[in-house]
Amino acid sequence: MDKWPIGVFASIDAGLGVKLEVAKELGVPTIQLHAPAKSTRTPENAERFQQRLKELGIELTAVFGGFEGESYADIPTTVRTIGLVPEETRAARAEEMKEIADFAKALGCSVVALHIGFIPHSSVGDPAYDSVIAITREICDHVKGNGQSLHLETGQETADGLLQFLGDVDRDNLFVNFDPANMILYGTGEPIEALKKIGSFVRSIHCKDALWADKPGEEWGQEVPLGEGQVDMAAYLKTLDEIGYDGPLTIEREIPQEPERQKAEIGKAVHLLEQLKG
Ligand code: MG
């Protein structure tokens, strides 16, 4: 793979990404895929999908897990519903995440990723924190058996909080999918500074932009087209270069309800990234 191939976040029947045809139309050579709905994660579909990617000349670089009942409606709802942190759904979601990883393996993909949720900010010895560590280890160990690594999407944690957690989980196949816009949307820190701190763990990234909220951390910031927000994209790429990241630049634009606008804005984002790469 060349340095920094463009990518786009894609979906088949679940998630906020674009359809494969859009990636093809925009000439984007890599995708990350939101895991399709449970009923469609079959070996037959895996084979069919792999064949389709081959025909389109698109490489799959990561599969993102997502779960029923998750909602990003507002920050408190996100805290309550996302990832492996909510206790009531933790065990079932962990099993589902392993099954998603097995499906990713059937797709020939060695990276699985997810939003783990708002990790309780406490230290080792606190049961709430320890149980999230335990479940993360369990998933890391399962995906390792598949020859895969697990990437945690950024946003819900500060850079320091995430570093602490990565160290406490202590697994050599646990990394970070860095999303600079999420740091702004969630109000968890300046993205470029955070990237410098987490740099050595960053193995995949999103190119997404956002504006800070008036009350960061209490209300959502606003996701906007790439280049129109407060992530300094030139500084972002420069920092990615400094930390030695040479993987895909995966564009995310989370407006699936407006597919034409989504495609047009991703097209512009591809342009912008090509320019900045130069
Ligand atoms: Mg993202």
Side-chain angles (χ1 to χ4, degrees):
M1 207 158 54
D2 294 340
K3 179 177 172 174
W4 290 351
I6 303 292
V8 67
F9 196 81
S11 293
I12 304 172
D13 57 12
L16 305 176
V18 299
K19 292 190 166 29
L20 271 189
E21 289 65 33
V22 173
K24 177 64 185 171
E25 225 175 292
L26 295 174
V28 171
T30 75
I31 58 162
Q32 292 184 345
L33 181 71
H34 187 103
K38 195 168 199 166
S39 59
T40 59
R41 292 195 298 260
T42 63
E44 298 74 35
N45 280 344
E47 200 173 315
R48 208 172 304 147
F49 186 68
Q50 232 181 348
Q51 190 55 41
R52 181 95 181 101
L53 286 175
K54 205 189 267 177
E55 286 163 13
L56 296 174
I58 292 174
E59 186 180 342
L60 173 63
T61 62
V63 174
F64 266 72
F67 309 105
E68 229 170 90
E70 290 186 319
S71 168
Y72 294 91
D74 50 39
I75 291 182
T77 307
T78 306
V79 173
R80 214 177 57 242
T81 65
I82 297 300
L84 302 175
V85 173
E87 226 179 314
E88 323 77 66
T89 49
R90 184 183 297 145
R93 285 181 176 178
E95 285 315 304
E96 184 170 2
M97 193 63 207
K98 293 178 198 169
E99 181 258 310
I100 288 171
D102 297 346
F103 182 75
K105 185 187 178 193
L107 290 173
C109 186
S110 63
V111 175
V112 287
L114 85 162
H115 266 292
I116 200 165
F118 283 79
I119 299 162
H121 286 285
S122 48
S123 51
V124 173
D126 177 315
Y129 184 69
D130 286 352
S131 56
V132 178
I133 289 179
I135 206 80
T136 308
R137 283 180 179 156
E138 196 180 306
I139 293 172
C140 284
D141 295 345
H142 179 90
V143 308
K144 187 159 188 163
N146 286 342
Q148 295 165 320
S149 52
L150 181 69
H151 294 192
L152 302 182
E153 170 88 342
T154 54
Q156 287 128 1
E157 309 306 314
T158 62
D160 291 329
L162 191 58
L163 276 178
Q164 175 73 44
F165 181 72
L166 293 165
D168 289 338
V169 175
D170 192 24
R171 287 295 186 270
D172 62 6
N173 63 331
L174 181 61
F175 299 106
V176 165
N177 183 85
F178 190 83
D179 185 325
N182 281 353
M183 306 301 296
I184 293 176
L185 291 169
Y186 286 87
T188 40
E190 278 292 343
I192 307 298
E193 267 171 57
L195 178 60
K196 285 178 183 164
K197 278 191 184 170
I198 311 172
S200 62
F201 286 98
V202 173
R203 296 294 168 93
S204 57
I205 63 137
H206 287 159
C207 291
K208 191 169 91 185
D209 213 343
L211 300 169
W212 288 90
D214 290 336
K215 296 178 191 159
E218 283 179 51
E219 48 191 47
W220 282 131
Q222 187 196 347
E223 194 217 339
V224 295
L226 206 71
E228 295 180 20
Q230 291 171 310
V231 175
D232 179 341
M233 280 298 151
Y236 184 45
L237 292 199
K238 189 165 166 280
T239 309
L240 287 171
D241 198 37
E242 281 164 13
I243 64 168
Y245 178 82
D246 55 11
L249 306 178
T250 304
I251 300 162
E252 242 189 336
R253 181 68 175 117
E254 300 179 331
I255 47 166
Q257 67 283 6
E258 296 176 77
E260 284 308 313
R261 187 174 146 212
Q262 189 183 34
K263 180 165 65 177
E265 290 180 1
I266 290 172
K268 279 191 197 166
V270 170
H271 256 348
L272 176 67
L273 291 173
E274 292 291 4
Q275 266 175 357
L276 289 173
K277 272 166 75 173

